[in-house]
Amino acid sequence: MLPDAPAEFAELDDLSAAAYGHAVELGRFDAGDIAERLSLTPAEVERARQVLTRLRLLQPMPGEPGVLVPVGPDVAAADLVGSAEQRIRDLQQAVTDVRGRLLSLNPAYFEGRRLRNRLEAFDVIDDVDTIQSMLDHLGSRCRQEMFTVQPGGARPGDVLDAARRSTLAIRSRGVRIRTIYQHPARSDLATRAYVRDVTAAGVEVRTADEVIDRMIVYDRETVFLPAHRGPGRPPGAAVVREPTLVAFVCSVFEHLWDGATPFVPESARAPATADDLRRSIVRLMANGYKDEVIARRLGMSVRTCRRHISEITEELEATSRFQAGVNAARSGLLDGGEPHG
């Protein structure tokens, strides 16, 4: 018998099939004749009879219930599986009915969520799994627009892989997606490959020299921001739904977006972003920030930041950070112009 088959669905073995063939020739199941023809023991003949009876291939003759006669396989199949097929149809109909009744509650669910969002204007969540669950839920429900700001430079490969799957799934529903990175992300091969894949699907990506902080906005209704904790406390997320605060965050994003540079992986626009980065470093140097702070604000490693500072100081013919700032101001570099003697 098959492992997952109902008990009445016996396995038709070769011996039972041979016995069935002889019964068809005789027009009835004669145990003695079949035993003689097939050289079977009485126990083997009895087992074949039981198998054929369970498979409905042998049925009592009308008026003579003691005589078993063979019936056609199609008749036996209809008799054997008919009730099971009906149960399957009934179960499918029950599933359809339940799904229909539950989905009819969708309007009430989304209206209730909208009203609840107004009441639950602000939440701070510490649990990482809960945060990810909420992000997945809002991503699957996003209908019109999603935009994100991702500070720092390169992101880990596994994070990019997960982001690629999620972003392409959301974009496939026609949702407009915009993302802002910082300029150092342009030099990372994995990030360039990710941007190449998502922009091919219609996602818009730009980079800026400085951004404020990480943010994710869904349909201009819900905003995820990092929850800043004290030293030694785990990071979390602040979920904002209050319309005025959400509108403010959206305005900040639009301001950053307007000043950012389109990220086209195959483009030759890297020199323009390199100039932006250099001006930002000089400006922060002139304001007295230390290397570590400059690196953090511009999304790069301290080592890379110090290399840039060294090159800029040498180019400006300065012997100190202060003199570099003065020379940069005189050359017009801080004003966005080309350096001049």
Side-chain angles (χ1 to χ4, degrees):
M1 187 157 46
L2 294 174
D4 299 324
E8 64 267 25
F9 294 171
E11 185 75 31
L12 181 63
D13 56 88
D14 292 341
L15 187 150
S16 299
Y20 173 73
H22 283 290
V24 172
E25 290 181 21
L26 293 173
R28 60 191 176 86
F29 187 86
D30 186 316
D33 185 78
I34 290 175
E36 181 179 350
R37 289 194 181 195
L38 298 179
S39 300
L40 302 177
T41 65
E44 290 174 325
V45 174
E46 175 59 20
R47 189 178 67 80
R49 183 195 66 77
Q50 292 177 1
V51 170
L52 296 174
T53 301
R54 286 200 299 270
L55 290 174
R56 308 295 198 274
L57 288 167
L58 292 179
Q59 297 189 13
M61 178 183 292
E64 294 187 54
V67 178
L68 295 176
V69 296
V71 300
D74 54 340
V75 174
D79 188 23
L80 182 65
V81 304
S83 61
E85 289 179 331
Q86 184 59 50
R87 290 198 298 271
I88 291 172
R89 287 193 292 270
D90 291 343
L91 184 59
Q92 289 176 328
Q93 185 60 50
V95 169
T96 300
D97 292 344
V98 170
R99 179 178 288 113
R101 288 196 295 271
L102 292 179
L103 292 181
S104 69
L105 297 174
N106 262 339
Y109 171 79
F110 287 114
E111 176 62 16
R113 285 296 302 269
R114 186 184 68 82
L115 295 175
R116 194 184 78 185
N117 286 349
R118 291 182 176 275
L119 296 175
E120 299 177 358
F122 192 89
D123 287 319
V124 177
I125 303 171
D126 295 326
D127 183 69
V128 175
D129 292 336
T130 301
I131 294 171
Q132 187 59 56
S133 177
M134 292 185 68
L135 290 171
D136 293 341
H137 175 76
L138 288 169
S140 68
R141 298 295 182 183
C142 191
R143 303 181 301 278
Q144 298 175 344
E145 184 178 17
M146 169 184 165
F147 44 82
T148 66
V149 175
Q150 299 289 351
R155 301 169 73 193
D158 57 335
V159 173
L160 286 174
D161 290 340
R164 180 183 286 104
R165 292 191 296 270
S166 174
T167 299
L168 292 177
I170 296 172
R171 177 60 194 154
S172 68
R173 302 197 304 270
V175 175
R176 184 188 184 191
I177 302 177
R178 291 182 288 168
T179 297
I180 301 176
Y181 287 104
Q182 287 186 270
H183 291 327
R186 290 175 176 267
S187 61
D188 179 62
L189 292 179
T191 302
R192 291 173 67 87
Y194 165 79
V195 172
R196 185 181 302 111
D197 291 342
V198 298
T199 53
V203 176
E204 302 166 72
V205 182
R206 295 185 180 184
T207 63
D209 53 352
E210 288 189 76
V211 296
I212 46 174
D213 212 333
R214 191 178 311 277
M215 69 168 70
I216 307 176
V217 183
Y218 297 96
D219 285 332
R220 297 181 180 266
E221 293 177 353
T222 307
V223 177
F224 274 76
L225 300 171
H228 293 284
R229 302 293 197 177
R233 298 190 62 184
V239 185
V240 181
R241 305 182 187 88
E242 201 285 317
T244 302
L245 292 177
V246 171
F248 173 77
V249 172
C250 292
S251 297
V252 170
F253 176 86
E254 295 295 350
H255 175 75
L256 292 173
W257 182 259
D258 290 341
T261 304
F263 190 166
V264 182
E266 310 304 335
S267 170
R269 297 189 63 180
T273 59
D275 290 341
D276 289 344
L277 185 61
R278 185 172 60 171
R279 281 192 292 271
S280 297
I281 292 175
V282 172
R283 176 172 50 80
L284 294 172
M285 286 172 58
N287 288 334
Y289 290 109
K290 295 186 177 183
D291 298 352
E292 292 78 4
V293 177
I294 296 174
R296 184 171 63 252
R297 291 187 58 165
L298 299 181
M300 65 178 67
S301 69
V302 175
R303 181 178 179 180
T304 300
C305 179
R306 285 174 176 161
R307 178 171 55 81
H308 284 300
I309 291 174
S310 176
E311 293 172 355
I312 292 169
T313 303
E314 182 178 351
E315 180 183 346
L316 293 173
E317 299 179 351
T319 58
S320 67
R321 298 167 68 95
F322 175 76
Q323 186 180 4
V326 173
N327 291 355
R330 289 176 177 174
S331 69
L333 182 58
L334 290 176
D335 299 325
E338 292 296 325
H340 53 78

